[in-house]
């Protein structure tokens, strides 16, 4: 059961997560936050130590939504090789889904924080490593089950897949054209079929 305080905190995160994601850390002022939430600075600071703590919590909130959506999509199959195809399938429609979050949280906050906020950047790096670890783990499971070639270096391919995804997300948003995601996901499917399948 959520307390009144929990509800307020959730309201703040739901409201400001897309704003931070879209505008970036430096460009999001406390006035933007108070105007959007309808709360005073005191009420915001009653739940978050400072703007930095709020931005990190907002990033984590968006990532949690994204990861839950991916996990739900991957639950369609228990087969590791099918899960890899489901990852590319998920990202074919990622442009529309991520717009609700104010864009891709990993890409937006990663680029924004790189020159401005080392603590926020550290949180982005943790998420990137977690995503790559999860993909590597799926590949390792596939090798163990004989679905994926034992010649494959799981982490190397996990990083390659993630790089293709992030590059395609960047180009899709920059050019406002879903072609880049669709084309790169087809490329990932080809890599799975021709290089990875046992």
């Amino acid at each position: 059961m959520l307390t009144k305080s929990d509800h307020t905190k959730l309201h703040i995160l739901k409201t400001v997560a897309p704003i931070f994601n879209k505008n970036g850390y430096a460009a999001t002022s406390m006035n933007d936050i108070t105007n959007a939430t309808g709360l005073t600075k005191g009420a915001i600071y009653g739940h978050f130590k400072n703007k930095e703590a709020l931005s990190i919590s907002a990033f984590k909130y968006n990532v949690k939504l994204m990861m839950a959506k991916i996990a739900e999509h991957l639950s369609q199959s228990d087969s590791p090789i099918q899960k890899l195809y489901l990852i590319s399938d998920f990202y074919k429609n990622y442009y529309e889904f991520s717009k609700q979050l104010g864009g891709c949280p990993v890409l937006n906050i990663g680029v924004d924080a790189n020159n401005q906020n080392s603590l926020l950047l550290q949180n982005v790096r943790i998420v990137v490593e977690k995503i790559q670890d999860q993909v590597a783990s799926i590949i390792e499971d596939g090798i163990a089950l004989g679905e994926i070639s034992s010649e494959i270096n799981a982490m190397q391919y996990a990083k390659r897949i993630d790089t293709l995804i992030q590059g395609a997300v960047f180009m899709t948003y920059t050019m406002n054209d879903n072609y880049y995601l669709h084309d790169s996901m087809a490329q990932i499917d080809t890599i799975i079929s021709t290089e990875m399948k046992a």
Side-chain angles (χ1 to χ4, degrees):
M1 185 83 177
L2 290 175
T3 63
K4 190 182 175 201
S5 173
D6 291 335
H7 276 292
T8 306
K9 191 171 184 176
L10 191 60
H11 163 68
I12 295 167
L13 287 176
K14 266 186 183 170
T15 309
V16 305
I19 298 170
F20 268 120
N21 199 14
K22 204 176 273 184
N23 300 346
Y25 174 77
T28 303
S29 68
M30 279 312 290
N31 279 344
D32 294 331
I33 293 163
T34 55
N35 290 340
T37 57
L39 298 168
T40 63
K41 279 185 191 178
I44 304 280
Y45 287 136
H47 294 278
F48 301 93
K49 194 172 90 176
N50 51 33
K51 183 181 149 187
E52 185 175 57
L54 174 56
S55 71
I56 290 167
S57 292
F59 168 69
K60 287 179 176 176
Y61 175 80
N62 264 342
V63 166
K64 194 174 170 185
L65 290 178
M66 180 185 86
M67 298 300 266
K69 199 76 177 166
I70 295 172
E72 181 190 317
H73 199 71
L74 295 190
S75 70
Q76 293 177 59
S77 178
D78 291 327
S79 155
I81 196 100
Q82 287 309 315
K83 281 185 186 291
L84 292 179
Y85 286 121
L86 283 166
I87 290 170
S88 68
D89 184 62
F90 172 81
Y91 278 98
K92 283 173 193 162
N93 303 303
Y94 184 67
Y95 190 35
E96 286 310 311
F97 164 70
S98 61
K99 280 179 184 175
Q100 304 160 39
L101 308 176
C104 175
V106 176
L107 189 68
N108 286 9
I109 304 300
V111 171
D112 177 63
N114 206 357
N115 300 313
Q116 299 183 53
N117 190 312
S118 58
L119 193 57
L120 193 50
L121 180 62
Q122 201 178 324
N123 277 272
V124 176
R125 285 179 175 164
I126 289 166
V127 170
V128 170
E129 284 169 1
K130 189 177 173 186
I131 290 168
Q132 292 175 354
D133 284 345
Q134 286 177 345
V135 176
S137 181
I138 292 170
I139 296 169
E140 282 162 5
D141 288 348
I143 293 168
L145 289 171
E147 290 185 4
I148 294 172
S149 166
S150 57
E151 303 291 306
I152 292 297
N153 179 316
M155 184 51 80
Q156 184 186 0
Y157 271 81
K159 286 180 176 179
R160 188 172 296 166
I161 289 167
D162 191 39
T163 301
L164 281 166
I165 290 168
Q166 292 306 325
V169 170
F170 172 79
M171 289 302 293
T172 294
Y173 266 98
T174 302
M175 304 309 290
N176 188 25
D177 185 351
N178 216 9
Y179 163 81
Y180 297 96
L181 270 169
H182 279 266
D183 186 62
S184 294
M185 295 316 104
Q187 204 178 336
I188 288 172
D189 286 347
T190 302
I191 289 169
I192 298 164
S193 302
T194 61
E195 296 179 31
M196 301 178 76
K197 243 182 182 171

